[in-house]
Amino acid sequence: METILSTQNSRVKEWEKLKTKKGRRKTGRYLLEGRHLVNEVLQSGAELDYVVSTQAELDVITFTVPEEKLVIISEKIADRLSDTVTTQGIFAIVQIPNQQRQLAEPQGNEAGAWLFLDNIQDPGNIGTMVRTADAAGFAGVVFGKGTADIFNPKVQRAMQGSQFHIQLILGNLEIWLKQFQAAHYPVYGTELNPQAKQYTDIEQVRDFALIMGNEGNGMSQELLKQTTANVYIPITGQAESLNVAVAAGILMFALKANEL
Amino acid sequence: METILSTQNSRVKEWEKLKTKKGRRKTGRYLLEGRHLVNEVLQSGAELDYVVSTQAELDVITFTVPEEKLVIISEKIADRLSDTVTTQGIFAIVQIPNQQRQLAEPQGNEAGAWLFLDNIQDPGNIGTMVRTADAAGFAGVVFGKGTADIFNPKVQRAMQGSQFHIQLILGNLEIWLKQFQAAHYPVYGTELNPQAKQYTDIEQVRDFALIMGNEGNGMSQELLKQTTANVYIPITGQAESLNVAVAAGILMFALKANEL
C-alpha cells in the first residue's frame, strides 16, 4: 500500500489522461469510478493495476481491496480524477482487454440476442441501453462506427455494472450484420417510418440482432438497406420521436423470446 | 420592442429568479429556454409576458415573435438566464396556468391512459417519461408528492415540447387513485418484485393509470397497497433494475390498448 498526496505526482497525471480516448489508447488502461463499479471490477477478475481511494472512502466500503493494489490519495487528487460533481473518492485503473482494443469480428458462435449501436453519441443513452440489454438477457452489445467509446468514463458510469455482465464489442456493423444473416439470424433495423414493420408484428425469436441509430439522424441508410426487416414503434400522440434508450428498451423486451 | 444590455437590470434579475421554485411561486411565471420550446409555446396560445432573445438568435429563427412581446438581450444576459452549457439565446417568460399552481383533483372525465409520478426526482427521467407518454398517446401525467417541479427548467427542457401536447397536473396521487378506481379504471402500481403480476399478463385497456416510483426506492408502500394490481418487468439478466424512464416506456406501450 502506498500513499500519494500531490496532484503533481506523475502517476496522478497519467491517470488523469485516461479520461481521454487518446490517453486510453496509448496506455491500454481505463479509469473506473465509484464504489459499486470498483467492487464489480474486483469481482469480475479483470486485470487491474491499482485501486485508488481516499482514506475516508476506504473507511466506508464493505468490500476488501487487495493490499498490493491499493494506493491512498488525497481528496484533491480524487477531485482531479473524478468525472462527477461529488466523487465518492474511489477509482480503479483497469487494463483494457486485448479483444476490446480493436475491431472484432463475430466468432461464429454468437447465439442469443444482440444490440448493435450505430453512431450513438450520448454516453447516458449508451449506458442505459447496455443496462437494459443486460436486464433483458441479451448476450452482448456491438459498438459500431461513430458510437461513443466503451471506456469513456461517462459511458462506464451509466452502464452501472452491466459492462461486467454481458459482452461489449467494438465492431464493424456491416460485417456483423452479414455474418448474422449468414447464420440465419434476423437483423432488425429501426426507423421512424410508418412504412416499416410495426414491432408488434415481428415474431419473437431467441437469436437476432437489433440495430439502434443516432439520436438525431437515425441509423445509416447503408445498414437500413441490408437488414432482414426494419421496425417502427407507432407514435399515436404528437411527440416527434422517442428517446433512443426508451425505444431500445421497448424493442428489446418486445422482440426477444424468453424460455419458459 | 425593447433592448436590455445590462445584467444588472432589475427585470433580468427577476427572470433569473424563475430558475428557482421560490421565484416561480412568487411570480406565477416560469422561464422556457430554446428555439424549439419558444416556438411551441407561441403556437400553444399560452399567456406569455415576453420573448427574450439575442439579436444573433433572432436572425436565425424561422418563426415570428410578436413585436410587442420582444425584448432583445446581450449574450451575457442570455448566459445568465440559461440552464445549458451553450445557450441558443432565446427564452420566453410564461405565465403558469392557474390550474397548475396548486394541487388539482380529477374532474371526473379523465378517460384515456394516465401516468402518475410518485416521488420521481431526476428532471431528465421526468422529461423523458412525459415525452414517452405523449408518443404513446397518453392523456396526461400527474405529478405526485416528491416529484420534481413541472416548471423546473431542466424538466421543461427534457419534455421537448410534449408539455404542450398532453395534460400535466399537480396532484395528490391517493385521491387520483381512489377516483380512478371509483370510475372502474384500473390503476397499476410497479414494483421490483417477481411476486407482482408480469406486465405481459395484463390485458390492454384504454382507460387506466400507471404509477412509476422513485429511482432508488420505488413507489410508496401506501400506494402499492391500494392499486388494482402491481406489475413487474421480468429481469432475465444480471442487472439489478431498469432505468425508470425505460421501464415506464416498456409499460406504457405494453399496457395501452390502441384503437384499430
Side-chain angles (χ1 to χ4, degrees):
Chain A
M1 191 191 80
E2 78 187 288
T3 301
I4 302 179
L5 298 175
S6 163
T7 54
Q8 296 309 307
N9 180 288
S10 63
R11 250 181 312 157
V12 171
K13 288 182 175 177
E14 277 299 315
W15 297 336
E16 236 186 306
K17 286 185 192 150
L18 301 182
K19 288 181 178 180
T20 67
K21 192 163 180 178
K22 196 178 151 198
R24 293 191 293 273
R25 189 175 291 159
K26 211 171 129 190
T27 57
R29 303 289 187 276
Y30 72 100
L31 185 67
L32 203 61
E33 174 172 1
R35 210 171 287 161
H36 177 66
L37 291 178
V38 171
N39 188 13
E40 289 250 15
V41 77
L42 283 168
Q43 286 175 30
S44 77
E47 298 276 348
L48 58 87
D49 297 353
Y50 303 104
V51 170
V52 175
S53 176
T54 61
Q55 186 60 52
E57 172 67 12
L58 272 187
D59 295 342
V60 165
I61 57 171
T62 53
F63 55 90
T64 323
V65 177
E67 195 75 6
E68 73 278 11
K69 300 278 190 193
L70 183 61
V71 180
I72 309 275
I73 54 168
S74 64
E75 309 274 346
K76 257 202 180 139
I77 296 177
D79 284 338
R80 284 285 271 274
L81 297 179
S82 174
D83 189 54
T84 60
V85 180
T86 44
T87 181
Q88 293 176 328
I90 189 164
F91 306 83
I93 316 298
V94 190
Q95 295 178 29
I96 297 176
N98 277 327
Q99 64 270 27
Q100 285 172 318
R101 291 191 200 185
Q102 59 220 344
L103 290 182
E105 295 195 6
Q107 303 290 301
N109 57 358
E110 280 76 15
W114 286 77
L115 179 67
F116 293 175
L117 303 182
D118 179 32
N119 195 21
I120 307 228
Q121 305 193 320
D122 180 75
N125 283 338
I126 295 171
T128 302
M129 284 191 275
V130 169
R131 181 179 164 200
T132 309
D134 178 15
F138 272 49
V141 178
V142 182
F143 285 58
K145 203 164 61 184
T147 299
D149 188 33
I150 297 178
F151 299 101
N152 172 312
K154 288 187 212 301
V155 172
Q156 285 287 321
R157 198 143 35 81
M159 296 195 283
Q160 294 201 11
S162 290
Q163 61 265 58
F164 304 112
H165 305 156
I166 63 175
Q167 295 181 64
L168 302 184
I169 292 170
L170 262 185
N172 176 328
L173 295 186
E174 302 233 359
I175 294 175
W176 279 76
L177 184 152
K178 284 198 184 100
Q179 296 218 21
F180 265 59
Q181 289 182 325
H184 303 289
Y185 296 159
V187 178
Y188 301 117
T190 45
E191 58 181 334
L192 257 178
N193 177 355
Q195 261 73 62
K197 267 198 180 178
Q198 283 212 14
Y199 74 105
T200 44
D201 293 337
I202 303 277
E203 203 193 343
Q204 293 185 331
V205 292
R206 281 175 47 190
D207 306 313
F208 71 98
L210 168 69
I211 310 179
M212 297 303 301
N214 179 265
E215 287 90 344
N217 306 315
M219 51 178 283
S220 89
Q221 290 299 320
E222 255 337 289
L223 286 172
L224 271 176
K225 277 185 231 156
Q226 300 173 58
T227 52
T228 314
N230 293 323
V231 301
Y232 168 75
I233 300 175
I235 292 192
T236 50
Q238 297 171 70
E240 282 166 23
S241 63
L242 287 164
N243 166 279
V244 66
V246 171
I250 292 168
L251 294 174
M252 285 193 266
F253 274 87
L255 297 177
K256 180 170 172 279
N258 290 311
E259 282 115 320
L260 295 177
Chain B
M1 193 190 77
E2 79 187 289
T3 301
I4 302 179
L5 297 174
S6 161
T7 54
Q8 296 309 306
N9 180 288
S10 62
R11 248 180 314 158
V12 171
K13 287 181 176 178
E14 278 298 316
W15 297 337
E16 235 186 307
K17 287 186 192 150
L18 301 183
K19 288 180 177 182
T20 67
K21 194 165 178 176
K22 196 178 150 198
R24 294 191 293 273
R25 188 171 297 157
K26 213 171 128 191
T27 58
R29 304 289 187 274
Y30 71 101
L31 184 67
L32 203 60
E33 175 172 0
R35 209 171 289 160
H36 176 64
L37 291 179
V38 171
N39 188 13
E40 289 250 14
V41 79
L42 282 168
Q43 286 176 30
S44 75
E47 298 277 348
L48 57 85
D49 297 353
Y50 303 104
V51 170
V52 175
S53 175
T54 62
Q55 185 59 53
E57 172 67 12
L58 272 187
D59 294 343
V60 165
I61 55 171
T62 53
F63 53 90
T64 322
V65 177
E67 194 76 5
E68 71 280 9
K69 300 278 189 193
L70 183 61
V71 180
I72 309 274
I73 53 168
S74 64
E75 309 275 346
K76 257 202 181 136
I77 296 176
D79 284 338
R80 284 284 272 277
L81 297 180
S82 174
D83 189 54
T84 62
V85 180
T86 43
T87 180
Q88 291 175 328
I90 190 165
F91 307 81
I93 316 297
V94 190
Q95 295 177 30
I96 297 176
N98 277 328
Q99 63 270 30
Q100 284 172 320
R101 292 190 197 186
Q102 58 220 344
L103 291 182
E105 295 196 6
Q107 303 290 305
N109 57 356
E110 280 75 13
W114 287 76
L115 179 66
F116 292 176
L117 303 181
D118 178 32
N119 195 20
I120 308 227
Q121 305 191 321
D122 181 75
N125 283 338
I126 294 170
T128 302
M129 285 191 275
V130 168
R131 181 177 164 200
T132 309
D134 178 14
F138 272 48
V141 178
V142 183
F143 285 59
K145 202 163 63 182
T147 298
D149 187 33
I150 298 178
F151 299 99
N152 172 312
K154 289 186 210 305
V155 171
Q156 285 287 321
R157 196 142 36 80
M159 296 196 282
Q160 295 199 11
S162 290
Q163 62 265 55
F164 303 113
H165 305 156
I166 64 175
Q167 295 182 64
L168 302 184
I169 292 170
L170 263 184
N172 176 327
L173 295 187
E174 303 233 359
I175 294 174
W176 279 75
L177 183 151
K178 284 200 185 98
Q179 297 220 19
F180 266 58
Q181 290 182 324
H184 302 290
Y185 296 159
V187 178
Y188 301 116
T190 46
E191 56 180 336
L192 258 178
N193 178 356
Q195 260 72 63
K197 266 200 182 177
Q198 284 212 15
Y199 74 105
T200 45
D201 294 337
I202 303 277
E203 203 193 342
Q204 292 184 333
V205 291
R206 282 176 46 190
D207 305 314
F208 69 99
L210 168 69
I211 310 178
M212 298 303 302
N214 179 265
E215 287 90 345
N217 305 316
M219 52 178 281
S220 90
Q221 290 299 318
E222 254 340 287
L223 287 172
L224 271 176
K225 275 184 232 156
Q226 298 173 60
T227 53
T228 313
N230 293 321
V231 301
Y232 169 73
I233 300 176
I235 293 194
T236 52
Q238 296 171 71
E240 282 165 23
S241 63
L242 288 164
N243 166 279
V244 66
V246 171
I250 292 168
L251 294 175
M252 285 192 267
F253 274 87
L255 297 178
K256 180 170 172 280
N258 290 312
E259 283 116 318
L260 294 177

